[in-house]
Amino acid sequence: MTASSRAVLAATFAPGETAVPSAKRFTREVMTAWAAASVLPAAEQLAGELAMQVADAPFEIVWKHYGDAVQVELRQRTSPHGDPKGPSVDIEEWGITFAGDSRVHWARLTLPGSTDRVASEWAEESSRGPHWLGFLADASDLLAGTLDPDMVPAIIAQIVVPRLSTWCAVYTSDTGAGPRRLAYLWHADEARIDGLREQLSELSVPDSAAATLQLADSQVLAVPLIARGRSLGAMCLGRHDRFPDESIQFAEDIARRAALAMDNARLYAQQAAANRALQRSLLPPNEPEVPGLDYGVVYEPAGEANEVGGDFYDLFKAGDESWRFAIGDVCGTGPEAAAVTGLARHTLRLLAREGYGVAAVLGRLNQAILEEGERARFLTLLHGDITPVESGLEVRMVSAGHPEALRLKPSGVVEGVTTPQSLLGVFPEVVFEADTIHLDHGDVLLAVTDGVTERRSGGRLLDDEGGLSKLLAECAGLSARAVAERIRRGAADFAPEPSADDLAILVLRAR
């Protein structure tokens, strides 16, 4: 095996329950970009096992490609508690090294059939010159480094110009079968781009196979971009002299990598768009006007764009003189959590408009979740009823396993106002009882999910020793929106790392 890596890809992960799935997803993207599908299951399992041992603190995963093997390195600045465990997958070797206050837990996977194949590949590539190895490594790093489909054509063009050609035009098709459009054009002489664009309008780009064409004073090499058996477009390279056979081989190699990166980015973008639409469907469609109520909301899902958060909130009219609010947290993220979120939101609205009180609504929702069987997820929920009265607001609410709701008086006094009761989706025989409180004019009611109360900085949580109450006490005299923003900023500033949990904040203030 060679002493130096051919390509390196790295990513940093925040602690929390999303750390292990994120590490596995990053590994899938790396193995796909490197066309190392033969070791993908083992690599994904290996990354997950290493991440699981250190997921309570930030860590970095580095994948290195050595030609005949791939190596994963998990780097962490602080040493985790307990002895590290060896991987359960069949690997070539593994170990642990230390550098200052950092620890590196590494393991190496041999690529199947690499002994003879890789030796011949390296002999062939070495004969082309060492610059070729660096060229491909740079190309792989750049293409694997983005999941933005609009960025991939620009990266393709700037990889090949001026190394392989004087200019590059990248054509794409939104459907794979529809008309192609010029997605990106780059020329070593930027002043000639506009003139080249006019010339390209007359160029007919072949669909399926590489071809050499003539355009004005340029020879054009057109290479199709094909990934997973589907045509995504074409890469056209132009230069004044003839393309050497070696350059054609390089261009075809880059086109294969580029097409795979483009397809990965498109699939990621499609999934992200679908999940954003699903996330929007789980939140209130509008903000109602409630007499005597000033309210503010903050909602921030912590997952990546292709994950649906488990937190939700709602505020809606339930009758002629009453309104309902809810803030909840479904265990986990993704489609399963979204299904329970949708069930909860629609059940709350339906039963509230049928005249059921808040306690009765939660009892029936608990039963509905349990009836989901294996698809059921635990749910914490604060659900309440708001009735405007002359002296302020009457609020009846039930806290089902949810972080305690707090009331802030204009004087700065903060007190808890909810009685802890069973969370939903656990016990079939549960009877809920509503707490009734009064909000005088200027009083504030704060409800949050555990993305706020359990925000972690080292070994401390934000709500340790009444941290949330102290933060709320500083908000006396602020509007509801200002209070919500102040709590959000306080949670963000509590720790330097990005939050690994969803966050929802609901503030109700009696005018």
Side-chain angles (χ1 to χ4, degrees), residues 213-470:
L213 311 171
Q214 193 67 34
L215 179 69
D217 59 348
S218 296
Q219 185 182 60
V220 179
L221 174 63
V223 185
L225 298 172
I226 299 175
R228 300 182 176 97
R230 190 161 58 97
S231 175
L232 303 178
M235 176 180 71
C236 293
L237 311 181
R239 57 192 291 171
H240 297 300
D241 55 347
R242 187 183 66 84
F243 279 92
D245 292 341
E246 183 181 71
S247 294
I248 295 176
Q249 294 175 9
F250 293 173
E252 292 175 341
D253 195 342
I254 290 174
R256 286 192 294 271
R257 298 167 190 245
L260 189 58
M262 184 179 294
D263 199 38
N264 288 341
R266 287 187 176 188
L267 292 174
Y268 184 90
Q270 289 170 3
Q271 185 64 47
N275 282 326
R276 283 194 297 270
L278 176 58
Q279 188 78 72
R280 287 193 299 269
S281 73
L282 300 176
L283 298 176
N286 51 50
E287 297 184 352
E289 289 290 334
V290 183
L293 176 67
D294 171 29
Y295 65 91
V297 173
V298 170
Y299 176 75
E300 293 182 351
E304 297 184 9
N306 63 346
E307 290 185 339
V308 181
D311 290 10
F312 70 98
Y313 70 91
D314 205 354
L315 180 62
F316 58 94
K317 189 170 185 179
D320 292 339
E321 298 296 333
S322 70
W323 285 258
R324 294 287 179 95
F325 68 91
I327 181 169
D329 184 359
V330 177
C331 176
T333 59
E336 295 84 0
V340 176
T341 300
L343 171 65
R345 219 177 132 258
H346 292 297
T347 300
L348 289 175
R349 286 185 168 232
L350 177 63
L351 294 179
R353 287 165 179 164
E354 290 290 327
Y356 288 90
V358 291
V361 167
L362 263 65
R364 285 160 175 76
L365 175 58
N366 181 61
Q367 187 61 39
I369 294 174
L370 290 171
E371 289 174 357
E372 291 292 296
E374 294 182 357
R375 298 177 299 177
R377 293 292 186 96
F378 301 152
L379 167 64
T380 73
L381 180 67
L382 178 69
H383 178 46
D385 174 84
I386 304 170
T387 303
V389 294
E390 185 175 345
S391 58
L393 299 173
E394 290 290 339
V395 180
R396 291 178 297 275
M397 56 186 169
V398 177
S399 177
H402 202 75
E404 185 177 31
L406 302 175
R407 175 171 57 189
L408 168 67
K409 305 293 289 185
S411 62
V413 175
V414 176
E415 58 183 341
V417 291
T418 50
T419 303
Q421 301 181 57
S422 173
L423 75 166
L424 303 174
V426 181
F427 305 109
E429 302 296 334
V430 180
V431 177
F432 295 98
E433 295 183 1
D435 296 307
T436 300
I437 68 166
H438 181 78
L439 296 181
D440 293 322
H441 298 297
D443 285 359
V444 170
L445 180 68
L446 170 67
V448 302
T449 57
D450 61 10
V452 175
T453 57
E454 297 182 6
R455 178 83 161 108
R456 181 179 294 276
S457 177
R460 295 178 57 245
L461 301 180
L462 183 147
D463 202 31
D464 285 348
E465 301 177 356
L468 182 59
S469 295
K470 296 174 184 177

Side-chain angles (χ1 to χ4, degrees), residues 1-8 34 64-70 111 113-138 140 246 250 253 257:
M1 186 177 66
T2 58
S4 60
S5 58
R6 302 171 65 179
V8 178
W34 286 347
K64 296 181 178 180
H65 196 310
Y66 287 97
D68 59 351
V70 291
L111 294 173
S114 62
T115 304
D116 298 327
R117 174 182 55 78
V118 173
S120 62
E121 285 181 359
W122 274 78
E124 179 184 357
E125 290 176 351
S126 297
S127 67
R128 298 173 180 171
H131 67 282
W132 168 235
L133 301 181
F135 183 29
L136 278 186
D138 290 345
S140 295
E246 183 181 71
F250 293 173
D253 195 342
R257 298 167 190 245

Side-chain angles (χ1 to χ4, degrees), residues 35-98:
S38 57
V39 296
L40 175 55
E44 187 176 349
Q45 181 179 345
L46 179 58
E49 290 178 356
L50 296 182
M52 191 174 298
Q53 299 181 46
V54 299
D56 58 344
F59 61 91
E60 181 183 31
I61 286 184
V62 181
W63 277 101
K64 296 181 178 180
H65 196 310
Y66 287 97
D68 59 351
V70 291
Q71 178 170 305
V72 62
E73 297 178 359
L74 189 146
R75 302 175 180 177
Q76 196 166 40
R77 191 167 291 276
T78 57
S79 297
H81 299 294
D83 296 328
K85 300 178 182 179
S88 64
V89 298
D90 184 18
I91 59 172
E92 180 180 343
E93 54 182 322
W94 71 281
I96 297 174
T97 57
F98 294 87

